[in-house]
Amino acid sequence: MIRRPVEHDPAEERTNWQILRWRMNVHRVTPQRLAEYAEYPIWRIERGLRGQPATLTDEFLRHCVSLFGLTSGRNEGSESASDSLTRAECIDLLKPPKAMPPQQVDFWKNPDILNDD
């Protein structure tokens, strides 16, 4: 049986490469190190980072999650935590954290707000 690569939306792929570029910058990972760790062609990584069409495989995304030390909230058994992640879960883990909402003062947790110094 011949396995064909899964086609993904090109705009979505570019966005996913941008997410990956952000994560690489945060963790100071070079394309060469990523290629060695994930056993992925360096030319494909560099091409994707430049915004050119390049496929992101699910296995590559799992390697990225593992390299960056990202974890899912799922409880895992004996298998590696990243081996069972879906493509969508990998992308969600790689995304930058959402901005924190402005901190609201809770009267009961902060009694200092009563002091009018």
Side-chain angles (χ1 to χ4, degrees):
M1 180 166 126
I2 298 174
R3 297 182 79 189
R4 295 182 184 189
V6 177
E7 293 294 324
H8 298 284
D9 178 26
E12 180 183 333
E13 286 294 291
R14 278 191 299 278
T15 301
N16 292 341
W17 277 109
Q18 290 174 352
I19 290 168
L20 188 58
R21 180 185 310 127
W22 177 84
R23 188 60 70 175
M24 289 172 66
N25 287 337
V26 167
H27 291 273
R28 295 187 173 124
V29 173
T30 63
Q32 293 80 12
R33 181 169 172 224
L34 182 60
E36 289 169 9
Y37 183 85
E39 299 176 0
Y40 208 65
I42 184 72
W43 63 266
R44 186 173 288 160
I45 293 171
E46 290 174 343
R47 188 178 170 144
L49 293 174
R50 284 193 304 262
Q52 298 173 341
T55 305
L56 279 167
T57 64
D58 295 354
E59 182 180 0
F60 175 68
L61 290 171
R62 286 187 201 101
H63 283 294
C64 292
V65 167
S66 178
L67 174 66
F68 299 132
L70 305 171
T71 58
S72 165
R74 281 199 269 163
N75 291 332
E76 297 294 332
S78 60
E79 63 182 314
S80 173
S82 63
D83 287 346
S84 64
L85 293 174
T86 66
R87 180 182 186 84
E89 289 172 325
C90 289
I91 296 297
D92 285 342
L93 287 171
L94 290 167
K95 285 181 180 176
K98 293 187 175 21
M100 296 286 288
Q103 185 175 2
Q104 296 179 356
V105 178
D106 186 352
F107 175 77
W108 300 110
K109 289 184 180 177
N110 191 356
D112 294 334
I113 63 172
L114 293 176
N115 296 338
D116 292 332
D117 293 338

